[in-house]
Amino acid sequence: MTDTTPTAQLSAAGVSIWLDDLSRERINTGGLQSLIAEKNVVGVTTNPTIFAAALAKGEAYDEQVRQLAASGASVDEAIFEITTDDVANASDIFHDIYERTNGVDGRVSIEVEPGLAHDAKATVETAKKLAEKIGKPNVLIKIPATVEGVEAIADTIAAGISVNVTLIFSLQRYREVINAYLTGLERAKEAGIDLAGIQSVASFFVSRVDTEIDKRLTAIGTDEALALKSKAGIANARLAYQVYEESFATERAKALVAAGANEQRPLWASTGVKDPSLPDTLYVTELVAPNTVNTMPEKTLDATFDHGVITGDTVTGSYAESNEVLDKLAALGVDYDDVTATLEREGVEKFNVSWGELVETVTNALEGAKSQAAAK
């Protein structure tokens, strides 16, 4: 690995590269270690879709499924055991990076069950249960930024648990997320919890914003509308970085940092392009800024490593231009609040569908194992 590769340049520019994927096969074969060594990967994010896909292929989970079936584990218990085992093992792989970066990177994320997205109390209980089960200092518990999720974020941070806030689409919701983080830190400080041990990232989704807005621009169909396609996602994310800069420059935030707290870094999620006509590294090269995370599907990571052109900070200084994009969209009748509310609702629905697929996959695996055992 040299500092001339695009991923090394991206890292040098202050962007932490996290892989948006995890499987037991990737852990067992050394594939994850290779990405760390060769492509500057310093963390991993997971979600129900990723686990459903991992379980649906290969034989890496067969032995554990047989054991769970023999013990009479329920489907929910089996999912809990399987997913937390993968995250714990990945956390061990990243532990050296966690130590070397003083806890900033080397992080592995696991999501609370998406069916709890509108139940703050159950979300907090599940977050605590996941953190305790995994028992690794470098785990992040993913909580969606629904209205109820924002409440749960404050409570989870207050308990000293590190959080990856997911499914953020709007700038206003992002401000609420930062406020929840700071509130949680203040409560943790009052409780005597060491703030230095609490980390958080705020996952701001990018490509899905373009997908939804571009659909509306295509429906409008004018030259002016079509000229704005594929610009909203980057503009929205760049303005999120402005919110981050402003929020952590306040006296409130600076007082917490002085007491040992960490800033909540912006994380760019949904960074694989959905439109094949776009450059496959668009949501990487156009969102380079210090103290950020970009969580990439492997296809995007490979593209970035192969031909990404990293030109330094492409975010700060772009705020007037980014606001102009959103202003032009509003003038055309594209309702920003409706777009972001739609995306949040659909995001929760998609995770619920994936959770259902995960439940079905594990149910079938358990039943198959029981049948095999009975046939012997």
Side-chain angles (χ1 to χ4, degrees):
M1 186 174 70
T2 71
D3 59 4
T4 58
T5 66
T7 54
Q9 292 165 1
L10 191 61
S11 299
V15 180
S16 295
I17 299 170
W18 292 3
L19 178 70
D20 192 27
D21 191 43
L22 184 64
S23 68
R24 191 159 299 179
E25 181 181 11
R26 194 185 286 280
I27 292 169
N28 292 346
T29 61
L32 191 56
Q33 292 90 330
S34 295
L35 292 178
I36 293 168
E38 298 166 12
K39 297 182 180 177
N40 303 86
V41 170
V42 292
V44 160
T45 51
T46 67
N47 59 43
T49 305
I50 288 168
F51 280 124
L55 275 152
K57 59 188 178 186
E59 301 175 353
Y61 297 93
D62 288 0
E63 180 57 33
Q64 186 175 20
V65 168
R66 280 192 290 270
Q67 292 173 359
L68 289 164
S71 70
S74 68
V75 174
D76 286 347
E77 288 167 343
I79 290 173
F80 186 76
E81 292 296 326
I82 290 166
T83 57
T84 54
D85 275 4
D86 276 2
V87 169
N89 289 331
S91 296
D92 287 341
I93 292 170
F94 281 101
H95 188 79
D96 286 348
I97 294 171
Y98 166 80
E99 291 284 353
R100 189 171 73 242
T101 61
N102 200 28
V104 173
D105 283 315
R107 294 281 173 173
V108 184
S109 297
I110 185 170
E111 190 158 345
V112 296
E113 182 183 339
L116 306 177
H118 299 293
D119 186 335
K121 183 181 178 184
T123 294
V124 176
E125 289 172 354
T126 303
K128 290 177 178 177
K129 188 179 174 186
L130 286 167
E132 183 179 0
K133 169 65 175 176
I134 295 165
K136 306 291 181 180
N138 49 332
V139 71
L140 290 172
I141 308 301
K142 288 178 79 172
I143 297 175
T146 57
V147 171
E148 298 84 359
V150 170
E151 179 186 340
I153 291 156
D155 290 346
T156 306
I157 293 292
I161 296 170
S162 296
V163 174
N164 176 343
V165 183
T166 189
L167 285 181
I168 308 174
F169 298 97
S170 81
L171 297 170
Q172 178 54 34
R173 183 55 54 83
Y174 182 35
R175 292 184 186 97
E176 294 167 8
V177 164
I178 294 173
N179 179 62
Y181 175 60
L182 297 176
T183 299
L185 288 174
E186 287 162 347
R187 288 167 51 195
K189 183 171 178 280
E190 288 173 12
I193 295 171
D194 180 11
L195 300 187
I198 304 172
Q199 283 280 354
S200 183
V201 292
S203 297
F204 208 87
F205 280 53
V206 187
S207 68
R208 292 191 197 181
V209 173
D210 274 340
T211 300
E212 180 63 28
I213 288 181
D214 286 1
K215 184 171 66 178
R216 300 183 186 206
L217 291 171
T218 300
I220 294 169
T222 64
D223 289 346
E224 187 182 10
L226 298 178
L228 285 169
K229 287 183 69 174
S230 306
K231 292 185 177 179
I234 289 168
N236 196 40
R238 285 172 170 172
L239 291 172
Y241 191 78
Q242 183 183 31
V243 170
Y244 156 72
E245 286 186 308
E246 292 173 349
S247 298
F248 285 93
T250 63
E251 292 307 313
R252 180 190 184 195
K254 287 195 287 188
L256 285 163
V257 170
N262 301 288
E263 291 185 359
Q264 182 188 53
R265 290 187 295 168
L267 179 152
W268 312 128
S270 182
T271 56
V273 295
K274 306 292 193 291
D275 182 345
S277 69
L278 297 174
D280 52 5
T281 62
L282 179 71
Y283 301 122
V284 177
T285 60
E286 299 307 305
L287 292 174
V288 179
N291 213 28
T292 58
V293 181
N294 195 309
T295 180
M296 308 178 197
E298 189 169 19
K299 187 177 178 182
T300 304
L301 173 64
D302 289 345
T304 301
F305 180 80
D306 180 65
H307 54 263
V309 179
I310 310 303
T311 57
D313 187 340
T314 52
V315 176
T316 54
S318 68
Y319 306 141
E321 177 189 346
S322 299
N323 272 310
E324 188 179 340
V325 170
L326 296 193
D327 288 344
K328 286 180 178 178
L329 289 168
L332 287 169
V334 177
D335 187 331
Y336 178 87
D337 291 339
D338 182 66
V339 166
T340 55
T342 297
L343 289 169
E344 180 185 304
R345 183 177 64 253
E346 288 180 351
V348 173
E349 288 171 357
K350 285 175 181 175
F351 278 162
N352 273 315
V353 169
S354 295
W355 188 266
E357 292 170 356
L358 180 57
V359 168
E360 183 179 0
T361 300
V362 174
T363 299
N364 292 338
L366 289 171
E367 289 176 353
K370 288 174 185 174
S371 297
Q372 287 178 353
K376 288 182 180 178

